[in-house]
Amino acid sequence: MALDPCSRLLKYCLFVFNLIFFLSGTVLIVIGVWITEDSYKPQVFTLMDTSYILSLIYAIICIGCIMVLFGFLGCCGASTENRCLLGLFATLLFLLLVAEIAIVTLAFVSGDQVNAFVKSQMQDAIENDYDGEEGDDEASVAINIIQLLFDCCGAEDYNDWLESSWYMKGQSWLSVKDEDIQRKYPATCCKWGTDNDEMRENLMNSIFIDLTEDDEDFLVNCYLPPPNDYMYSSGCSESLKYFFRQHADMIGGVAAGVVAIEVIMILLTIIVMRLTKSSS
């Protein structure tokens, strides 16, 4: 027995929601792969618990794959009006909904703990592992990139560098304008402007040679007694915390939207199942 026009409309709505769900899962997969393939982000993650970060990224990809599978399953169930497929889809979607709520709640509750952990990891790397702007080890590359990307200096502030082995072992000496300077922080703490784009890009790639006259003039100003207008004085832990807080609202909004769509999809699936049963 064919469905009435109202029932068909609900079925098409369910199909459209499943299609949106399918496409959203595809977007999550693309985001997860982009993060792992980006040239800078994996190096930044080396200051954190790599296994934890990678697990989080792979979880995003996994959830995306599940959403693609569920979206496909829901589209098939809606188009064929198969009650078994629709029932399986509604059950799995409910379980996914519960898991997502638990994960998002845990992520927001543990946010301060993650920030504290990142701060301690960065402080330890600055004190013991940093090998200069041209250091090619994971810790040095990560610190340089973080300071350049987030416009910050040190974990707590620029004074962290005075406790670093880089400073205390004399690795911070640099000859600028025929004058030897013992720098109190690396060049990645400097506010490189548009006139020094090439130097900024070089520092992102662990290159700190062949300084131009403009670069040397800028470094002379950057290494005036700190804090000064040519260097970043705030710590990276605060910059990272602010960055995550900025994006937390967006992530929370997206999560709330996904949950709302899933609830609507579950209700529509149940309604379509009942209508399919009554019309058979």
Side-chain angles (χ1 to χ4, degrees), residues 115 146-147 149-156 232-247:
N115 286 329
I146 286 175
Q147 293 191 149
L149 287 180
F150 292 95
D151 298 337
C152 55
C153 187
E156 183 71 32
Y232 295 105
S233 56
S234 60
C236 293
S237 61
E238 282 302 311
S239 296
L240 287 168
K241 187 175 181 180
Y242 177 71
F243 174 82
F244 288 130
R245 279 182 175 173
Q246 269 190 317
H247 290 75

Coordinates of all heavy atoms in Angstrom, one line a residue, residues 115 146-147 149-156 232-247:
N115 N 45.3 22.0 29.0 CA 46.1 23.2 28.9 C 47.3 23.2 29.8 O 48.4 23.5 29.5 CB 45.2 24.4 29.2 CG 44.3 24.8 28.1 OD1 44.6 24.6 26.9 ND2 43.1 25.3 28.4
I146 N 55.4 27.0 17.0 CA 54.3 27.4 17.9 C 54.5 28.9 18.2 O 53.6 29.7 18.2 CB 54.4 26.7 19.3 CG1 53.8 25.2 19.0 CG2 53.6 27.4 20.3 CD1 53.9 24.4 20.3
Q147 N 55.8 29.4 18.5 CA 56.0 30.8 18.8 C 55.7 31.7 17.6 O 55.2 32.8 17.7 CB 57.4 31.0 19.3 CG 57.7 30.3 20.6 CD 59.0 30.7 21.3 OE1 59.1 30.7 22.5 NE2 60.0 30.9 20.5
L149 N 53.6 30.8 15.0 CA 52.1 30.7 14.6 C 51.2 31.5 15.6 O 50.3 32.1 15.2 CB 51.7 29.3 14.5 CG 52.2 28.5 13.3 CD1 51.7 27.0 13.4 CD2 51.8 29.1 12.0
F150 N 51.6 31.4 16.9 CA 50.7 31.9 17.9 C 51.2 33.2 18.6 O 50.6 33.7 19.5 CB 50.5 30.9 19.1 CG 49.7 29.7 18.6 CD1 50.4 28.5 18.2 CD2 48.4 29.7 18.6 CE1 49.7 27.4 17.7 CE2 47.6 28.6 18.1 CZ 48.3 27.5 17.7
D151 N 52.2 33.8 17.9 CA 52.7 35.1 18.4 C 53.0 35.2 19.9 O 52.4 36.0 20.6 CB 51.7 36.2 18.0 CG 51.5 36.4 16.5 OD1 52.4 35.9 15.8 OD2 50.5 36.8 16.1
C152 N 53.9 34.3 20.4 CA 54.1 34.2 21.8 C 55.6 33.9 22.0 O 56.4 33.7 21.1 CB 53.2 33.1 22.4 SG 53.4 31.5 21.6
C153 N 56.0 33.8 23.3 CA 57.4 33.6 23.7 C 57.4 32.8 25.0 O 57.0 33.3 26.0 CB 58.1 34.9 23.8 SG 59.9 34.8 24.0
G154 N 58.0 31.6 25.0 CA 58.1 30.8 26.2 C 56.8 30.1 26.5 O 55.8 30.3 25.8
A155 N 56.8 29.4 27.6 CA 55.5 28.7 28.0 C 54.7 29.6 28.9 O 53.6 30.0 28.5 CB 55.9 27.4 28.8
E156 N 55.3 30.1 30.0 CA 54.6 31.1 30.8 C 54.8 32.5 30.3 O 53.9 33.3 30.2 CB 55.2 31.0 32.2 CG 54.5 31.9 33.3 CD 53.1 31.4 33.6 OE1 52.9 30.2 33.6 OE2 52.3 32.3 33.9
Y232 N 57.4 39.4 21.3 CA 56.2 38.9 22.0 C 56.6 38.5 23.4 O 57.5 37.8 23.6 CB 55.6 37.8 21.3 CG 55.0 38.1 19.9 CD1 55.7 37.7 18.7 CD2 53.9 38.8 19.7 CE1 55.2 38.0 17.5 CE2 53.4 39.2 18.5 CZ 54.1 38.8 17.4 OH 53.6 39.1 16.1
S233 N 55.9 39.1 24.4 CA 56.3 38.8 25.8 C 55.4 37.8 26.4 O 55.8 37.2 27.4 CB 56.3 40.1 26.6 OG 55.0 40.8 26.5
S234 N 54.2 37.6 25.9 CA 53.2 36.7 26.6 C 53.6 35.3 26.3 O 54.2 35.0 25.2 CB 51.8 37.0 26.2 OG 51.7 36.9 24.8
G235 N 53.2 34.4 27.2 CA 53.5 32.9 27.0 C 52.6 32.2 26.0 O 51.5 32.6 25.8
C236 N 53.2 31.1 25.5 CA 52.4 30.4 24.5 C 51.3 29.6 25.1 O 50.3 29.3 24.5 CB 53.3 29.4 23.8 SG 54.6 30.2 22.7
S237 N 51.4 29.3 26.4 CA 50.3 28.5 27.1 C 49.0 29.4 27.1 O 47.9 28.8 26.8 CB 50.7 28.1 28.5 OG 50.9 29.3 29.3
E238 N 49.1 30.7 27.3 CA 48.0 31.6 27.3 C 47.4 31.7 25.9 O 46.2 31.8 25.6 CB 48.3 32.9 27.9 CG 48.3 33.0 29.4 CD 47.0 32.5 30.0 OE1 46.0 33.0 29.6 OE2 47.1 31.7 30.9
S239 N 48.4 31.8 24.9 CA 48.0 32.0 23.5 C 47.2 30.8 23.0 O 46.2 30.9 22.3 CB 49.2 32.2 22.6 OG 49.8 33.5 23.0
L240 N 47.7 29.6 23.4 CA 47.1 28.3 23.0 C 45.7 28.2 23.7 O 44.8 27.7 23.1 CB 48.0 27.1 23.3 CG 49.2 27.0 22.4 CD1 50.2 26.0 23.1 CD2 48.8 26.5 21.1
K241 N 45.7 28.6 25.0 CA 44.4 28.5 25.7 C 43.4 29.4 25.1 O 42.2 29.0 24.9 CB 44.7 28.9 27.2 CG 43.5 28.8 28.1 CD 43.9 29.1 29.5 CE 42.8 28.9 30.5 NZ 43.2 29.2 31.9
Y242 N 43.8 30.6 24.7 CA 42.9 31.6 24.0 C 42.4 31.0 22.7 O 41.2 31.1 22.3 CB 43.6 32.9 23.9 CG 42.7 33.9 23.1 CD1 41.6 34.5 23.7 CD2 43.0 34.3 21.8 CE1 40.9 35.5 23.1 CE2 42.3 35.2 21.1 CZ 41.2 35.8 21.8 OH 40.4 36.7 21.1
F243 N 43.3 30.4 22.0 CA 43.0 29.8 20.7 C 42.0 28.7 20.8 O 41.0 28.7 20.1 CB 44.3 29.3 20.0 CG 44.0 28.5 18.7 CD1 43.9 29.2 17.5 CD2 44.0 27.1 18.7 CE1 43.7 28.5 16.4 CE2 43.8 26.4 17.6 CZ 43.6 27.1 16.4
F244 N 42.2 27.8 21.8 CA 41.2 26.7 22.0 C 39.9 27.3 22.5 O 38.8 26.7 22.1 CB 41.8 25.7 23.0 CG 42.9 24.9 22.4 CD1 44.1 24.8 23.1 CD2 42.8 24.3 21.2 CE1 45.2 24.0 22.6 CE2 43.8 23.5 20.7 CZ 45.0 23.4 21.4
R245 N 39.9 28.3 23.3 CA 38.6 28.9 23.8 C 37.8 29.5 22.7 O 36.6 29.4 22.6 CB 38.9 29.9 24.9 CG 39.2 29.3 26.3 CD 39.4 30.4 27.3 NE 39.5 29.8 28.7 CZ 39.9 30.5 29.7 NH1 40.1 31.8 29.6 NH2 40.0 30.0 30.9
Q246 N 38.6 30.2 21.8 CA 37.9 30.8 20.6 C 37.2 29.7 19.8 O 36.1 29.9 19.3 CB 39.0 31.5 19.7 CG 39.2 32.9 20.1 CD 40.0 33.6 19.0 OE1 41.0 33.1 18.6 NE2 39.7 34.8 18.7
H247 N 37.9 28.6 19.6 CA 37.3 27.5 18.8 C 36.3 26.6 19.5 O 35.6 25.9 18.9 CB 38.4 26.7 18.1 CG 39.2 27.5 17.1 ND1 40.1 28.5 17.4 CD2 39.2 27.4 15.7 CE1 40.6 29.0 16.3 NE2 40.1 28.3 15.3

